[in-house]
Amino acid sequence: MDIQTFSPELVLPAEQALDDAVPSELIDRTFGSDCIDLASIALSSHILAFSDEFFANASNLINPRAPVHRPGVFVPSGAWYDGWETRRHNTEPFDWVIIRLGVASGRPKGVEVNTAFFNGNEAPAISVDGCYETAEGADNVVAEKEFKGWSEVLGKRPCGPSQRQAWKLEGQHGSLTHVRLRMWPDGGIARFRLYGQAVPVWPSDWTQEVELSAAVMGGVAESCSDQHFGGKENLLLPGRGVDMGDGWETKRSRVLGHTDWVIVKLGARAQVSRIVIDTAHFRGNFPQRVMVEAAKLEGHNMGAHDDPIWAELLPVQKVGPDQEFEFGKDVLLKAEERDFTHMKLTIIPDGGVKRFRVFGTRAL
């Protein structure tokens, strides 16, 4: 039986591999303003198939939360790891895992591989392939090891131990529905992120109400004043979440008159019919009041939060703990007369919000 041995030839030369690399301290800044994680389980992404997961489950790869370390904890297969880890001595060139993206399809802009706490057993190298398959039974077809419809998204890149690593995808990439992460030849990876932009499927009826802010419909949380306890991108996820950890939460303010804000780009230019602000799980740390402003920023630089282009859409409203607050046309200011591309949610003075949902119809 032949044993696959790792050698330098498995990865790109260092000077070539670093051309598209993103320094770890710049990953969030590079992809955080115009991308979502297309492979996140929070968007209902899921694992279709894998070559092996003897030491740690492949499903950990798409967990949106940061990996954790539990030194000294052992399970029947060996040391416990928060990631995907395969057997040693792979007889094939690589191990692999196939992921169905949680959006209808998406255009990839970057890849992140995090080998946190894998040191001595980390993956030496990775590569990523993708495909666009939407026919009936596509998941079953793509999950087959013999599937031949893969196209390269990211060539082989070296991985180091216990670190975040990311690469920008240069050039134009078409929409993808599935991706295959290859690990050369075996080892462990804690997390995999595929940064990009959702390509939604819009209803043929333009008058049908749509959740325009939803991440799966192309909504993106572009910027915010603070996200100390929870990321702004959580606001646009489906469902009501599981705890405070999957909402947006800012630090406590100590200055009189303080406010926090987040700017959201809608999936399409639209007229707004209603807004839902959900404080689920935030019971002692919800904002006292909220306000929503809107703008049409097509052809306009992504405006600052204090840009005069913002127009009041929802006047200041009081909110409470752990519930959904819906605001319709009876309180929205002339919503039916205007169309917008961006929303700015302001919370007064600070706190946590689980979801920010903006419903409406696409503008003709």
Side-chain angles (χ1 to χ4, degrees):
M1 179 175 65
D2 293 332
I3 302 296
Q4 175 70 20
T5 303
F6 174 70
S7 65
E9 290 76 21
L10 283 174
V11 299
L12 292 175
E15 65 276 10
Q16 188 176 350
L18 294 177
D19 286 347
D20 53 6
V22 179
S24 59
E25 67 274 13
L26 298 180
I27 294 174
D28 294 334
R29 186 186 307 176
T30 300
F31 301 112
S33 65
D34 63 352
C35 294
I36 63 171
D37 178 11
L38 299 168
S40 172
I41 198 172
L43 295 179
S44 299
S45 297
H46 53 281
I47 304 297
L48 293 180
F50 49 82
S51 58
D52 182 71
E53 57 173 4
F54 182 84
F55 289 111
N57 293 342
S59 59
N60 292 327
L61 285 168
I62 55 178
N63 184 342
R65 302 197 178 194
V68 298
H69 191 32
R70 298 172 64 186
V73 175
F74 287 82
V75 293
S77 59
W80 183 91
Y81 277 91
D82 186 8
W84 172 47
E85 187 180 5
T86 65
R87 292 174 174 85
R88 296 188 185 214
H89 313 310
N90 189 9
T91 58
E92 299 290 333
F94 54 82
D95 277 315
W96 51 269
V97 60
I98 296 171
I99 303 167
R100 175 54 168 104
L101 302 183
V103 295
S105 67
R107 295 190 185 96
K109 301 294 182 182
V111 168
E112 178 186 344
V113 167
N114 187 346
T115 56
F117 311 117
F118 286 97
N119 190 337
N121 55 346
E122 75 280 358
I126 61 93
S127 62
V128 179
D129 306 305
C131 69
Y132 182 86
E133 294 287 341
T134 59
E136 184 176 354
D139 286 355
N140 293 331
V141 173
V142 172
E144 293 293 331
K145 181 181 178 181
E146 296 77 19
F147 177 67
K148 303 297 184 182
W150 297 111
S151 297
E152 182 178 281
V153 174
L154 181 72
K156 290 178 188 174
R157 296 294 187 272
C159 294
S162 195
Q163 59 187 282
R164 293 180 70 188
Q165 299 141 111
W167 302 270
K168 294 175 71 174
L169 300 178
E170 304 297 341
Q172 294 295 319
H173 289 271
S175 295
L176 304 177
T177 55
H178 302 75
V179 292
R180 178 178 64 172
L181 171 64
R182 292 194 279 179
M183 176 164 60
W184 303 76
D186 52 46
I189 297 170
R191 297 291 187 268
F192 169 72
R193 312 287 189 224
L194 182 70
Y195 297 113
Q197 296 160 351
V199 181
V201 177
W202 297 103
S204 56
D205 181 0
W206 282 70
T207 66
Q208 183 175 331
E209 186 181 71
V210 179
E211 187 181 343
L212 298 149
S213 57
V216 295
M217 299 305 291
V220 178
E222 292 188 331
S223 60
C224 66
S225 58
D226 180 79
Q227 50 184 343
H228 187 82
F229 293 109
K232 64 187 186 304
E233 66 280 358
N234 292 331
L235 287 168
L236 312 183
L237 295 176
R240 301 191 69 203
V242 296
D243 55 33
M244 288 192 298
D246 58 5
W248 172 54
E249 186 181 1
T250 67
K251 64 172 70 74
R252 293 185 186 223
S253 61
R254 305 299 186 186
V255 178
L256 186 65
H258 177 86
T259 62
D260 281 312
W261 52 267
V262 59
I263 294 175
V264 172
K265 179 182 180 294
L266 303 179
R269 182 170 59 89
Q271 293 179 338
V272 177
S273 56
R274 59 191 176 101
I275 292 172
V276 175
I277 296 172
D278 189 357
T279 60
H281 304 109
F282 291 100
R283 300 183 178 95
N285 48 354
F286 57 93
Q288 295 300 298
R289 291 169 293 162
V290 298
M291 178 178 70
V292 178
E293 297 165 282
K296 184 161 64 174
L297 296 178
E298 291 175 324
H300 188 284
N301 292 331
M302 189 174 71
H305 72 97
D306 55 356
D307 194 310
I309 197 171
W310 294 104
E312 188 176 50
L313 180 61
L314 176 67
V316 174
Q317 303 287 323
K318 185 174 177 58
V319 293
D322 195 23
Q323 60 184 299
E324 289 182 298
F325 297 87
E326 182 169 334
F327 307 99
K329 291 183 178 179
D330 56 326
V331 291
L332 299 180
L333 301 178
K334 298 181 179 179
E336 69 281 357
E337 300 177 11
R338 301 180 289 178
D339 50 80
F340 305 105
T341 60
H342 289 69
M343 298 283 133
K344 182 177 77 169
L345 168 65
T346 298
I347 59 174
I348 305 168
D350 55 41
V353 175
K354 177 54 67 73
R355 300 289 184 261
F356 176 51
R357 307 193 190 284
V358 180
F359 294 86
T361 56
R362 287 181 296 159
L364 295 172

